[in-house]
Amino acid sequence: MKVQNIRTVSLILSIVFYLFIGAAVFDALESESESSRKKALEQKLNELKKKYGFSEDDYREIERVILQSEPHRAGRQWKFAGSFYFAITVITTIGYGHAVPCTDAGKAFCMFYAVVGIPLTLVMFQSLGERINTLVRYLLRKAKQGLGFRETEVSMGNMVLVGLLSCASTLCIGAAAFSHFEDWTFFNACYYCFITLTTIGFGDFVALQKKDALQKRPPYVAFSFLYILVGLTVVGAFLNLVVLRFIAVNSDQPEPPVLAVSCISFLLVPVTHTREQHRSTENTSWFLPELQHGRFSFLKSLQSIF
Amino acid sequence: MKRQNARTLALIICTFTYLIVGAAIFDALESRMETTQSLELHQRKAGLLKTFNLSTEDFDELEKVVLQRKPHKAGVQWKFAGSFYFAITVITTIGYGHAAPSTDGGKVFCMLYALLGIPLTLVMFQSVGERINTFVRYLLHRLKKCLGMRHTEVSMANMVIIGFISCMSTLCVGALAFSHFEGWSFFHAYYYCFITLTTIGFGDYVALQNKHALQTKPEYVAFSFIYILTGLAVIGAFLNLAVLRFMTMNTEDEKRDAEHRALLAHNGLAGGHINCSVDMASSSSTTPSGCGGGSAVGGSGGGAASRGLQNVYAEVLHFQSMCSCLWYKSREKLEYSIPMIIPHELSTSDTEAFSNPFQSNGCVCSQQHHSGISSVSTGLHSFSTYRRLNKRRSSI
């Protein structure tokens, strides 16, 4: 089987496996807490119903009002500031859901807006991230020269380290700021920053939703927007450095090798050209040591990281 | 200004403009509805308070209970099926938020889980997407041959059209299915599929939350999971086809600049005077190796002839780099049209200058040099343009 197919199949299998493991662990961590909370809430609800003498319909009405009021409680969501916040959550695909378009026209426009905005944003973050990486590489080389190192070349390992440090510090700065402004614990603020900057965006914690911040505290609003965009750039730079090379650009070139995990299979199967399938010449030697140089230097680059 | 910097700046400005325009339009579309709804809800709340003789504290308490009960109403969220659903929303970064970890342990594990899972998923979807594209290209090629068409090559436009059609049909199939199973209108189901497959994932519409579907309807659960993952693969294939090349533009340009500088250094060593001004606007902030090294060593070798050739060659490089945008868009065409002969004549040592013009990626100088590569590129172990470089190396 061609190496690309093997690689793809192994990736699919790893993801499915990863999902199963994740599901099992989340089940173990959250299930009990969920059922005890559910029981407590049901009890509380029955007490309240009895206390105020609600019928089922009464309660349903109250519930509806409360659930629908939820976004309104946090302030005006669709004035310019709120709409800007919403637009950010759309094109960065964070998608908190703290405010969602109610009108059908809003939903339709949201879809068109995303179709253009998401690729634009992806390309922009990768572009800016690459510029940042280049600048960092330059600065690091100058620093090494200035400090009188013998080898002033900036290795991949150096870059990965710097990237990790900047991601961690971005997270910490955000956590400190939001825990102060939003009155969250440091841990919850950290969790919020992480979920935001990975663009997962659950919406269980959302900034700018307290005390009408969107309308009343413009400097804090500006800070939040800038933090999200800059943070995504830093994460994007790190992804550009580490992950992008593993993503196969569509079939114009032979694919770059993938993960250390599939390294072993890669060693045994020669690289083939994917570009012209009908013209490809496949070597079928399945045994070492016909190491292709591309493969070999990949291993070398792995070595330089560790 | 360097091309990469100009491009990046233009993209930033574009994105900000896009955000501002979007915000204005959303404001216009939704603000009024929001005000009306807010007023109405206020009135209903006041009515309820009066009817049931509730104080505001009472109501706040009720509110808290109701809001906390919301995820529970939709079913058991953290049994295996629900957790699997949650795990999917984490690693695909959809993140509905219909269920979010409430325990601290759950939050920590969620972060760690995402840290490894998201890159893995990104690579997987792009890998699958690339395979899908290759397969489609092959099928289309055979189809064209069968139909007896003259040009059996599959163009980029063909692929883009097919990609677009498959995305639309994926969305429509999903919309049909979910509107049936969840009782949504077709438009709302389409909106749900779109928001899911772009991984935005607001959470205003979430599948498997009605009538305890997670526990009672395993086939529907399986269908939903498979739909989400397959749909993401189709979208990923389209992104891989249409967008990915733009994400690597700066990196490719940076590499090409480095190669040019190294090539000029190499030619300077061989042929004497180097035309440094050839380094088209891409002022190397990163490396001095290109011009400086060459002129230091340059001797009496070469002559007017080689200098003339070098100037012509410089013109070609200039043309190539200026047209990098075009180059990316019509890479296939350009490969066949740029004359490959010039570096061959210039090279003094390498007879293996280029073995196969059709395989070159348009970077004419990539065959020749294996030393003097700027430090910019040492960190870049990306293989797409360097593999030919590596072929020339005898020791790594």
Side-chain angles (χ1 to χ4, degrees):
Chain A
M1 208 195 221
K2 272 170 96 162
V3 71
Q4 296 94 318
N5 294 335
I6 293 184
R7 183 185 304 139
T8 304
V9 170
S10 34
L11 278 171
I12 294 176
L13 289 175
S14 353
I15 291 283
V16 176
F17 184 65
Y18 197 69
L19 282 172
F20 272 97
I21 303 257
V25 177
F26 279 121
D27 187 342
L29 287 171
E30 295 278 330
S31 238
E32 261 187 67
S33 157
E34 181 188 25
S35 37
S36 52
R37 263 180 307 127
K38 186 171 185 174
K39 248 184 241 142
L41 281 171
E42 295 290 335
Q43 258 181 343
K44 190 96 201 279
L45 197 57
N46 288 332
E47 278 173 23
L48 289 171
K49 275 192 200 165
K50 233 181 284 178
K51 178 173 169 191
Y52 301 117
F54 295 147
S55 67
E56 270 310 303
D57 292 329
D58 294 335
Y59 173 69
R60 214 147 292 168
E61 170 69 10
I62 295 179
E63 190 183 55
R64 213 175 305 138
V65 171
I66 291 178
L67 288 177
Q68 283 175 359
S69 305
E70 202 186 348
H72 298 276
R73 266 186 329 133
R76 292 299 300 276
Q77 301 290 351
W78 292 103
K79 279 259 162 74
F80 189 81
S83 290
F84 198 90
Y85 198 21
F86 177 75
I88 291 181
T89 68
V90 171
I91 64 173
T92 54
T93 77
I94 295 176
Y96 291 125
H98 68 292
V100 285
C102 306
T103 62
D104 277 357
K107 291 184 165 107
F109 177 70
C110 180
M111 291 194 270
F112 285 114
Y113 192 68
V115 165
V116 177
I118 292 174
L120 175 67
T121 311
L122 280 175
V123 174
M124 191 270 282
F125 278 131
Q126 285 305 305
S127 193
L128 191 53
E130 187 279 337
R131 290 286 83 200
I132 289 177
N133 285 337
T134 307
L135 179 67
V136 165
R137 209 173 261 123
Y138 169 71
L139 289 176
L140 210 55
R141 207 172 69 93
K142 280 290 197 286
K144 280 188 162 185
Q145 270 176 348
L147 292 174
F149 275 50
R150 250 184 314 133
E151 293 178 26
T152 57
E153 297 305 316
V154 180
S155 72
M156 181 65 169
N158 294 149
M159 289 299 294
V160 170
L161 203 62
V162 172
L164 281 173
L165 282 174
S166 28
C167 286
S169 31
T170 306
L171 224 61
C172 287
I173 293 175
F178 287 112
S179 67
H180 169 75
F181 287 117
E182 295 281 338
D183 249 340
W184 296 328
T185 66
F186 185 81
F187 175 69
N188 280 337
C190 218
Y191 171 74
Y192 163 74
C193 291
F194 183 92
I195 295 298
T196 300
L197 296 185
T198 48
T199 76
I200 297 177
F202 286 132
D204 50 353
F205 292 90
V206 186
L208 302 173
Q209 300 290 288
K210 286 210 175 121
K211 305 175 203 151
D212 217 6
L214 277 167
Q215 315 301 326
K216 300 224 177 89
R217 297 160 89 180
Y220 175 44
V221 170
F223 165 77
S224 302
F225 294 168
L226 275 172
Y227 174 77
I228 291 177
L229 295 172
V230 170
L232 285 171
T233 308
V234 172
V235 173
F238 188 67
L239 281 179
N240 183 287
L241 183 73
V242 177
V243 182
L244 198 60
R245 66 196 59 231
F246 295 118
I247 294 180
V249 181
N250 187 51
S251 85
D252 273 348
Q253 306 137 343
E255 296 174 34
V258 178
L259 304 162
V261 180
S262 37
C263 220
I264 297 171
S265 68
F266 197 69
L267 281 176
L268 294 177
V269 180
V271 175
T272 57
H273 294 304
T274 60
R275 193 171 79 111
E276 323 279 348
Q277 275 202 332
H278 53 287
R279 289 204 243 163
S280 70
T281 51
E282 277 184 54
N283 305 336
T284 49
S285 70
W286 275 75
F287 304 105
L288 286 176
E290 267 308 310
L291 287 180
Q292 300 256 340
H293 293 284
R295 218 179 297 152
F296 200 29
S297 49
F298 163 63
L299 293 176
K300 248 224 140 190
S301 80
L302 272 187
Q303 278 175 7
S304 72
I305 299 180
F306 302 114
Chain B
M1 198 195 244
K2 250 172 120 163
R3 190 177 334 108
Q4 298 90 307
N5 293 336
R7 177 187 297 136
T8 304
L9 199 62
L11 282 169
I12 293 176
I13 294 177
C14 250
T15 307
F16 263 103
T17 314
Y18 198 70
L19 279 172
I20 292 177
V21 169
I25 299 184
F26 278 121
D27 187 342
L29 288 171
E30 294 279 328
S31 239
R32 212 174 324 137
M33 177 69 147
E34 183 188 24
T35 327
T36 354
Q37 222 190 31
S38 183
L39 276 170
E40 187 208 325
L41 284 167
H42 222 72
Q43 281 175 334
R44 278 164 75 188
K45 179 180 169 181
L48 286 169
L49 284 176
K50 226 193 300 182
T51 324
F52 295 105
N53 213 355
L54 300 166
S55 68
T56 15
E57 293 88 29
D58 295 335
F59 195 82
D60 284 343
E61 200 187 357
L62 256 175
E63 198 175 44
K64 226 191 305 171
V65 173
V66 168
L67 289 175
Q68 281 175 352
R69 222 179 139 247
K70 197 163 72 156
H72 297 278
K73 259 201 339 143
V76 183
Q77 300 292 351
W78 292 103
K79 279 264 163 67
F80 191 81
S83 289
F84 198 91
Y85 197 22
F86 178 75
I88 291 181
T89 68
V90 171
I91 63 173
T92 53
T93 76
I94 296 177
Y96 291 125
H98 67 292
S102 50
T103 63
D104 278 358
K107 287 179 178 144
V108 170
F109 179 71
C110 180
M111 291 194 270
L112 294 171
Y113 191 69
L115 212 53
L116 180 58
I118 292 174
L120 188 65
T121 310
L122 280 174
V123 174
M124 190 272 280
F125 277 128
Q126 287 302 306
S127 189
V128 172
E130 190 278 335
R131 290 284 84 202
I132 290 176
N133 285 336
T134 308
F135 182 61
V136 165
R137 201 176 265 120
Y138 169 71
L139 284 180
L140 206 57
H141 178 77
R142 294 299 286 268
L143 190 68
K144 282 188 164 186
K145 266 213 278 220
C146 257
L147 292 176
M149 299 174 83
R150 255 183 309 135
H151 302 292
T152 56
E153 291 303 315
V154 180
S155 72
M156 182 68 170
N158 294 147
M159 291 298 295
V160 169
I161 291 177
I162 292 191
F164 187 71
I165 292 178
S166 29
C167 288
M168 292 302 287
S169 29
T170 306
L171 286 172
C172 286
V173 165
L176 282 169
F178 287 113
S179 66
H180 169 76
F181 286 117
E182 296 281 336
W184 298 327
S185 71
F186 182 82
F187 176 68
H188 289 161
Y190 190 90
Y191 171 75
Y192 163 73
C193 291
F194 183 92
I195 295 297
T196 300
L197 295 187
T198 48
T199 77
I200 298 176
F202 285 132
D204 49 351
Y205 292 90
V206 186
L208 303 173
Q209 300 289 288
N210 264 343
K211 305 175 203 148
H212 298 274
L214 276 168
Q215 316 302 326
T216 55
K217 294 175 168 175
E219 309 90 11
Y220 175 44
V221 170
F223 165 78
S224 302
F225 293 169
I226 292 176
Y227 173 78
I228 291 177
L229 295 172
T230 317
L232 285 171
V234 172
I235 304 279
F238 188 67
L239 280 179
N240 183 289
L241 182 74
V243 181
L244 197 60
R245 65 197 60 227
F246 296 112
M247 303 209 293
T248 49
M249 258 182 167
N250 271 5
T251 313
E252 302 281 340
D253 276 351
E254 199 64 33
K255 258 183 259 158
R256 196 159 4 102
D257 288 349
E259 287 172 356
H260 289 165
R261 281 191 291 272
L263 171 70
L264 292 174
H266 175 81
N267 280 341
L269 287 173
H273 170 71
I274 285 187
N275 190 359
C276 279
S277 64
V278 122
D279 204 3
M280 43 254 127
S282 58
S283 57
S284 40
S285 54
T286 49
T287 148
S289 68
C291 294
S295 50
V297 182
S300 56
S306 77
R307 221 169 294 157
L309 269 178
Q310 275 173 346
N311 286 340
V312 173
Y313 182 41
E315 285 295 307
V316 174
L317 291 183
H318 187 72
F319 160 73
Q320 274 191 319
S321 57
M322 290 299 275
C323 297
S324 69
C325 195
L326 275 171
W327 183 70
Y328 278 99
K329 293 210 175 100
S330 56
R331 192 190 292 216
E332 296 160 1
K333 294 188 193 137
L334 224 54
E335 272 175 345
Y336 301 113
S337 61
I338 294 277
M340 297 305 189
I341 304 176
I342 295 175
H344 191 65
E345 290 170 353
L346 276 185
S347 79
T348 50
S349 49
D350 305 328
T351 50
E352 214 193 317
F354 45 88
S355 43
N356 189 346
F358 296 125
Q359 279 183 355
S360 160
N361 61 356
C363 202
V364 295
C365 56
S366 63
Q367 314 285 339
Q368 298 185 5
H369 62 291
H370 41 79
S371 60
I373 295 175
S374 76
S375 61
V376 166
S377 43
T378 11
L380 301 172
H381 288 286
S382 189
F383 308 100
S384 43
T385 49
Y386 268 68
R387 77 179 177 284
R388 266 168 238 103
L389 220 66
N390 294 334
K391 266 192 206 160
R392 291 279 307 125
R393 297 187 187 190
S394 49
S395 69
I396 297 177

